[in-house]
């Protein structure tokens, strides 16, 4: 019997749509509390087994272009967007050729994975916290949206998420260098991932120096700060007031995954499984949790009283042949945890939760602006995780009133993102033209080839300016019945652009980059080509950017049902038993990678879901009520 048929006719306490990081954490916590949970995953269980992991590794190794989704096989029934899906237009601009339909002024370059484990299958693994000031950007800085909660409300859930993920970092450095509040004596579960040689060179040359923010007109001190990571390092014996930290798997066995050994393929896949992914949490699910994969939820079912009754889903067998049967399943509470874009697509298709007209709106990402150059000496790139440190002082302060803030990330992978290194360097030395229209150059071979490659590649440095994007109603996900996927479901239609607030941030970041390269004595090679799909000009300066993979917005939280989709618990204003968890609820993003905040929000929502379920299961009390001399039993809730 197929898994889909096994759950037919059952009524669950909770249905969770999506087995990514947020859905997995919600199911884990609710299952531990004794609730019957059904998890419906649109994709396949790609990496559940060691052979599946090896297959993904081999697929990655054989991929000509190494992008985030390259290890994961295509699924016609539940397609995923790819960063290669936006290409240059014939007359400038861009064309979208993949799953996402795009009609905005600029391309939305972020992807995600529809498979068991979700986009955490290919995330980089960085887990910085948001800053306290990130929650009140409208009030304090005059742009975007405020949160209906603050840093203090998330503090205990940040700690819980860091335990579940097994975060490696230095909490004392985060508190001292960035000003992040932590509980007294708090340490992360694991010691920090060692800083790369590139980081140490940057610290030696730049710590204690300053650059000028040309837009805000302020001096910004430079300091290299190690970034918290969701990957295994050395467990910290001081964690949990001296109890220490021991990652555990199923039945209390040591968790699978070695300590990080610097394979440098974190995005898209860690060969030794040192990086956290939701499959590690699923290994500890209670028997109360049932997972059904290859189940594409097509509609949220809403009753006449406005309460959600369950979902309709399409079950398929072969990912390459989109043939499915339709099923329905019921639950007391439904949780959508299928990514910001997929949550919005499903709600719009269901005509649900949208009395505010905000479903699908406020689509965000962290636009990434890259700069690159050659150092005077060797800096040892292409070792370790993609980034181990950053300059954090550009994330905060009153300059946010004038332009978007950013994290200035030190890249460990040379010019991989900017120019396709090191493969492109080898091709250039062999005289292979970069395009079909370029002439073939002179080739270098043998000892000279090795020496020139070593001399040039070993000096490559790159910076990633990851900017906060403000929530704008015009950036949105919509549906058009003309565009459908293999199962007949509407594909997401995206309209996307960058505000002047973001573009001013890019302008300031460009100048800061010039100053840093000057302080390093480096040969800056940054050049933005009009042939890039995201190319644009602002104040007569050229820019390009990339998606960070940090999709957010689309069902933002707020304190008013007229202007937001969910409340502070990620509960729909329109349907009291529908929760929309994930980055889609975030009304602003700050500059931190959103994964840890998403996990903290999911764990916080579980507390309210548990309270809701307790209320729904509270026993009825029968007491006699006198009426006309007779006694009649009357049921009332306590």
């Amino acid at each position: 019997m197929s898994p889909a048929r096994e759950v037919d006719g059952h009524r669950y306490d909770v249905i969770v749509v999506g087995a990514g990081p947020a859905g997995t954490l919600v199911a884990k916590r609710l299952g531990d509390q004794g609730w019957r949970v059904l998890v419906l995953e649109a994709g396949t269980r790609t990496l559940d087994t060691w052979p599946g992991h090896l297959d993904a590794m081999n697929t990655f190794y054989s991929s000509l272009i190494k992008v985030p989704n390259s290890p994961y096989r295509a699924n016609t029934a539940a397609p995923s967007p790819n960063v290669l899906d936006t290409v240059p237009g014939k007359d400038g601009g861009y064309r979208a050729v993949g799953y996402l339909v795009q009609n905005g002024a600029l391309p939305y370059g972020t992807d995600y994975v529809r498979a068991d484990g979700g986009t955490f299958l290919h995330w980089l693994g960085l887990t910085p916290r948001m800053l306290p000031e990130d929650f009140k950007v409208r009030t304090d800085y005059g742009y975007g949206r405020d949160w209906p909660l603050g840093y203090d409300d998330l503090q205990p859930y940040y700690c819980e998420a860091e335990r579940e993920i097994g975060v490696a970092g230095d909490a004392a450095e985060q508190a001292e260098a960035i000003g992040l509040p932590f509980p007294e004596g708090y340490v992360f579960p694991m010691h920090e991932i060692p800083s790369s040689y590139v980081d140490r060179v940057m610290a030696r040359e730049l710590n204690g120096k300053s650059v000028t923010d040309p837009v805000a007109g302020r001096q910004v001190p430079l300091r290299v700060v190690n970034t918290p990571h969701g990957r295994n390092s050395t467990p910290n014996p001081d964690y949990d007031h001296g109890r220490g930290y021991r990652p555990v798997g199923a039945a209390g066995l040591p968790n699978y995954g070695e300590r990080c050994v610097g394979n440098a393929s974190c995005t898209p896949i860690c060969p030794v499984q040192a990086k956290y992914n939701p499959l590690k949490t699923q290994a500890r699910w209670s028997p109360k949790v049932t997972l059904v994969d290859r189940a594409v939820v097509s509609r949220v079912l809403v009753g006449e009283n406005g309460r959600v009754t369950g979902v309709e889903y399409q079950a398929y067998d072969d990912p390459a042949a989109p043939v499915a049967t339709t099923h329905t399943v019921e639950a007391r509470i439904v949780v959508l945890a299928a990514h910001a874009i997929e949550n919005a697509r499903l709600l719009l298709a269901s005509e649900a939760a949208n009395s505010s007209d905000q479903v699908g709106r406020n689509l965000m990402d962290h636009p990434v602006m890259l700069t690159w150059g050659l150092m005077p000496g060797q800096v040892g790139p292409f070792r370790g995780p993609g980034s181990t440190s950053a300059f954090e002082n550009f994330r905060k302060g009153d300059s946010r009133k004038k332009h978007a803030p950013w994290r200035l990330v030190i890249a460990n992978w040379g010019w991989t993102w900017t120019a396709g290194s090191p493969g492109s360097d080898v091709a250039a030395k062999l005289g292979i033209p970069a395009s079909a229209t370029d002439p073939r150059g002179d080739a270098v071979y043998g000892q000279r080839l090795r020496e020139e490659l070593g001399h040039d590649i070993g000096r490559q440095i790159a910076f990633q300016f990851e900017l906060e994007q403000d929530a704008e109603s015009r950036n949105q996900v919509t549906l058009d019945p003309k565009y459908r996927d293999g199962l007949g479901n509407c594909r997401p239609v995206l309209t996307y652009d960058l505000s002047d607030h973001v573009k001013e941030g890019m302008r300031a970041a460009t100048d800061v980059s010039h100053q840093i390269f000057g302080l390093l004595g480096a040969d800056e090679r940054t050049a933005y080509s009009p042939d890039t799909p995201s190319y644009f000009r602002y104040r007569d300066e050229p820019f390009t950017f990339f998606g960070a993979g940090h999709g957010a917005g689309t069902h933002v939280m707020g304190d008013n049902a007229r202007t937001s989709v969910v409340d502070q618990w990620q509960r729909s204003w329109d349907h009291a038993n529908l929760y929309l968890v994930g980055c889609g609820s975030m009304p602003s993003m700050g500059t931190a990678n959103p994964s840890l905040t998403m996990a903290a929000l999911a764990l916080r929502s579980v507390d309210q879901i548990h309270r809701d379920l307790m209320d729904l299961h509270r026993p009825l009390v029968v007491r006699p009520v006198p009426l006309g001399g007779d006694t009649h039993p009357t049921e009332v809730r306590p």
Side-chain angles (χ1 to χ4, degrees), residues 103 138 143-145 348 354 356-364 469-478 493-499 552-556 562-565 586-587:
N103 59 19
R138 167 57 62 182
Y143 67 90
R145 286 173 169 255
L348 292 170
N354 199 22
S356 64
D357 189 35
Q358 293 300 303
V359 170
R361 297 188 184 274
N362 307 295
L363 177 66
M364 293 178 283
Q469 181 170 22
D470 44 323
E472 293 188 277
S473 182
R474 63 175 178 150
N475 289 335
Q476 66 180 126
V477 179
T478 58
V493 179
L494 272 55
T495 304
Y496 186 72
D497 201 354
L498 301 179
S499 68
T554 73
H555 48 81
V556 295
R562 295 188 301 274
T563 58
S564 58
V565 181
M586 297 172 66

Side-chain angles (χ1 to χ4, degrees), residues 251-301:
L253 298 175
N255 205 349
Y256 62 92
E258 300 175 15
R259 296 179 186 177
C260 176
V261 293
N263 277 293
S265 63
C266 318
T267 300
I269 191 169
C270 176
V272 302
Q273 301 183 355
K275 183 178 62 175
Y276 171 82
N277 71 58
L279 303 181
K280 299 187 179 188
T281 295
Q282 291 179 19
R284 295 183 286 117
W285 269 350
S286 157
K288 293 282 189 177
V289 181
T290 301
L291 171 64
V292 175
D293 68 328
R294 308 185 192 214
V296 178
V297 175
S298 51
R299 192 157 58 99
V300 176
L301 304 176

Side-chain angles (χ1 to χ4, degrees), residues 229-505:
H229 285 242
R231 71 186 82 250
N232 295 335
S233 67
T234 304
N236 191 334
D238 295 331
Y239 180 69
D240 195 15
H241 306 288
R243 297 180 182 90
Y245 178 78
R246 181 175 179 265
V248 294
L253 298 175
N255 205 349
Y256 62 92
E258 300 175 15
R259 296 179 186 177
C260 176
V261 293
N263 277 293
S265 63
C266 318
T267 300
I269 191 169
C270 176
V272 302
Q273 301 183 355
K275 183 178 62 175
Y276 171 82
N277 71 58
L279 303 181
K280 299 187 179 188
T281 295
Q282 291 179 19
R284 295 183 286 117
W285 269 350
S286 157
K288 293 282 189 177
V289 181
T290 301
L291 171 64
V292 175
D293 68 328
R294 308 185 192 214
V296 178
V297 175
S298 51
R299 192 157 58 99
V300 176
L301 304 176
V302 182
E304 292 182 359
N305 60 358
R307 293 184 68 85
V308 169
T309 60
V311 300
E312 175 186 274
Y313 69 96
Q314 300 160 300
Y316 65 93
D317 293 320
D318 186 354
V323 177
T325 56
T326 301
H327 305 260
T328 61
V329 63
E330 296 182 345
R332 296 179 184 275
I333 289 178
V334 172
V335 178
L336 302 190
H339 189 274
I341 290 176
E342 292 300 318
N343 275 359
R345 183 193 64 78
L346 181 54
L347 289 172
L348 292 170
S350 307
E351 298 182 346
N354 199 22
S355 64
S356 64
D357 189 35
Q358 293 300 303
V359 170
R361 297 188 184 274
N362 307 295
L363 177 66
M364 293 178 283
D365 190 14
H366 281 135
V368 181
M369 190 188 79
L370 305 174
T371 62
W372 58 99
L374 286 173
M375 287 288 284
Q378 298 290 304
V379 293
F382 300 99
R383 296 170 182 159
S387 172
T388 38
S389 299
F391 297 96
E392 303 282 4
N393 283 333
F394 301 96
R395 298 176 61 186
K396 55 189 179 179
D398 283 347
S399 60
R400 300 175 79 157
K401 295 177 180 178
K402 295 182 179 291
H403 63 70
W406 63 77
R407 285 189 78 234
L408 204 176
V409 175
I410 302 168
N412 287 334
W413 295 342
W415 295 357
T416 295
W417 206 352
T418 63
S421 295
S424 61
D425 303 289
V426 175
K429 293 294 182 184
L430 294 176
I432 300 172
S435 69
T437 59
D438 292 338
R440 185 175 182 89
D442 295 332
V444 176
Y445 300 102
Q447 181 67 23
R448 182 182 168 192
L449 173 63
R450 290 191 291 272
E451 290 176 353
E452 291 190 8
L453 286 173
H455 180 262
D456 293 345
I457 295 175
R459 296 187 297 129
Q460 291 179 359
I461 59 168
F463 297 118
Q464 299 167 197
F465 292 81
E466 301 184 2
L467 294 101
E468 179 186 37
Q469 181 170 22
D470 44 323
E472 293 188 277
S473 182
R474 63 175 178 150
N475 289 335
Q476 66 180 126
V477 179
T478 58
L479 301 182
D480 186 329
K482 292 187 301 185
Y483 305 108
R484 296 185 181 271
D485 64 18
L487 292 182
N489 297 308
C490 287
R491 293 158 54 197
V493 179
L494 272 55
T495 304
Y496 186 72
D497 201 354
L498 301 179
S499 68
D500 285 352
H501 192 251
V502 174
K503 292 176 181 178
E504 284 293 331

